[in-house]
């Protein structure tokens, strides 16, 4: 599959990951956009990358290389286990999320925590409550560079759900184009996550419609 006009930021990231011999795949909205449209989704504000836990130590070199290019980094942990490296740069409109997946205790899935504001009701009172939480947490995040989301104040303002991906899709990654790698059987994976992924859906909601998102607490999978 040849991709025309590959986004320069995505191309840079994929080339760097390959240079550092980090095994990875593009994931979520990034994968959907590249496969369906040959480009990143216009409304998507991050580049999604998935790695397995055995690649985590290599992210230190990646962090150093991206810092030299003007990127800042925030590391999120859950019960002391890192699950997300978020990179952003003032000159780029998209951040880069590297999500770290671990094998579940039953050996059937790879899992990664996902956090959301605990207030999800959309009436005006709750809408502004969510905005206040996001602003306050945003200020706190800017003070430091590494946080455990089970610590105060994160645990009182967020709920913890879990990406739970069938092991078969992340047991190995397929080459797609250039230095881009994707989940094994990536079209089946997109169907698992999005259903009819070939048809754009402007009303799709990550929290309620992502079939890879389990409502279970991450520790319920026995690996965190």
């Amino acid at each position: 599959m040849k991709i025309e006009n590959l986004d320069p930021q995505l191309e840079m990231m994929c080339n760097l990951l390959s240079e550092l011999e980090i095994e990875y795949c593009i994931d979520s909205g990034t994968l959907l956009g590249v496969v369906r449209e040959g480009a990143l989704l216009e409304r998507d504000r991050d580049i999604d990358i998935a790695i397995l836990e055995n690649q985590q130590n290599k992210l230190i070199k990646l962090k150093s290389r991206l810092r030299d290019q003007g990127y800042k980094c925030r590391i999120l942990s859950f019960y002391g286990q890192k699950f997300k490296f978020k990179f952003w740069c003032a000159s780029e409109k998209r951040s880069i999320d590297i999500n770290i997946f671990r094998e579940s205790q039953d050996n059937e899935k790879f899992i990664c925590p996902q956090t959301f504001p605990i207030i999800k009701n959309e009436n005006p009172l709750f809408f502004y409550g969510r905005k206040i939480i996001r602003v306050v947490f945003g200020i706190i995040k800017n003070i430091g560079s590494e946080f455990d989301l089970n610590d105060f104040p994160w645990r009182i303002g967020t709920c913890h759900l879990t990406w739970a991906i069938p092991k078969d899709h992340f047991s190995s990654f397929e080459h797609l184009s250039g230095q881009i790698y994707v989940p094994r059987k990536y079209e089946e994976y997109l169907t698992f996550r999005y259903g009819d992924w070939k048809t754009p859906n402007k009303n799709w909601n990550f929290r309620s419609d992502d079939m890879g998102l389990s409502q279970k607490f991450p520790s319920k999978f026995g690996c965190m």
Side-chain angles (χ1 to χ4, degrees):
M1 178 178 180
K2 187 175 181 180
I3 302 171
E4 302 291 343
N5 302 317
L6 182 63
D7 178 84
Q9 188 183 16
L10 175 60
E11 183 175 26
M12 176 279 295
M13 191 63 191
C14 291
N15 288 341
L16 186 52
L17 288 164
S18 295
E19 180 185 338
L20 296 175
E21 299 182 335
I22 298 174
E23 297 176 13
Y24 78 96
C25 68
I26 59 173
D27 195 19
S28 300
T30 302
L31 174 67
L32 178 63
V34 167
V35 172
R36 187 179 70 198
E37 303 179 14
L40 298 180
L41 300 175
E42 183 61 31
R43 294 187 298 170
D44 209 348
R45 288 295 172 260
D46 50 39
I47 291 173
D48 298 295
I49 304 288
I51 68 168
L52 301 185
E53 185 181 16
N54 61 9
Q55 301 296 302
Q56 179 180 314
N57 290 340
K58 300 177 183 179
L59 295 181
I60 302 304
K61 290 183 179 179
L62 177 67
K63 180 180 176 183
S64 177
R65 292 287 294 273
L66 288 175
R67 183 180 60 212
D68 293 341
Q69 298 185 40
Y71 281 84
K72 296 181 179 180
C73 177
R74 181 177 300 130
I75 302 171
L76 302 182
S77 301
F78 186 78
Y79 282 108
Q81 295 193 44
K82 296 178 176 63
F83 72 88
K84 186 189 293 286
F85 279 61
K86 178 180 282 289
F87 297 96
W88 72 96
C89 179
S91 61
E92 299 286 357
K93 70 176 184 178
R94 290 184 173 91
S95 61
I96 299 170
D97 286 357
I98 298 186
N99 297 292
I100 302 169
F101 285 80
R102 293 174 168 82
E103 195 171 350
S104 62
Q105 191 174 42
D106 62 10
N107 297 320
E108 293 182 357
K109 298 179 176 64
F110 283 107
I111 69 106
C112 178
Q114 287 296 297
T115 58
F116 298 89
I118 201 166
I119 300 173
K120 63 179 180 179
N121 193 303
E122 297 300 331
N123 71 49
L125 176 62
F126 284 96
F127 173 79
Y128 288 109
R130 289 178 67 187
K131 291 194 73 170
I132 292 171
I133 289 174
R134 285 174 174 160
V135 169
V136 171
F137 281 13
I139 293 172
I140 296 173
K141 284 180 180 179
N142 287 330
I143 297 174
S145 60
E146 185 167 351
F147 304 95
D148 192 309
L149 296 189
N150 191 55
D151 292 341
F152 180 85
W154 316 107
R155 66 172 180 265
I156 65 169
T158 57
C159 64
H160 299 87
L161 306 183
T162 311
W163 264 330
I165 307 302
K167 192 174 180 181
D168 188 45
H169 293 303
F170 278 6
S171 60
S172 61
F173 302 137
E174 295 183 15
H175 177 254
L176 185 70
S177 174
Q179 298 297 336
I180 296 179
Y181 289 83
V182 295
R184 186 170 180 267
K185 301 179 182 178
Y186 62 90
E187 291 195 356
E188 291 183 16
Y189 174 67
L190 284 170
T191 300
F192 163 68
R193 290 281 304 277
Y194 297 100
D196 180 16
W197 59 271
K198 295 181 180 180
T199 303
N201 180 2
K202 294 182 179 180
N203 296 318
W204 190 85
N205 183 290
F206 172 36
R207 183 166 178 171
S208 60
D209 298 334
D210 187 343
M211 299 304 295
L213 188 66
S214 169
Q215 301 299 309
K216 291 182 179 179
F217 201 68
S219 60
K220 296 294 184 180
F221 291 90
C223 57
M224 305 198 84

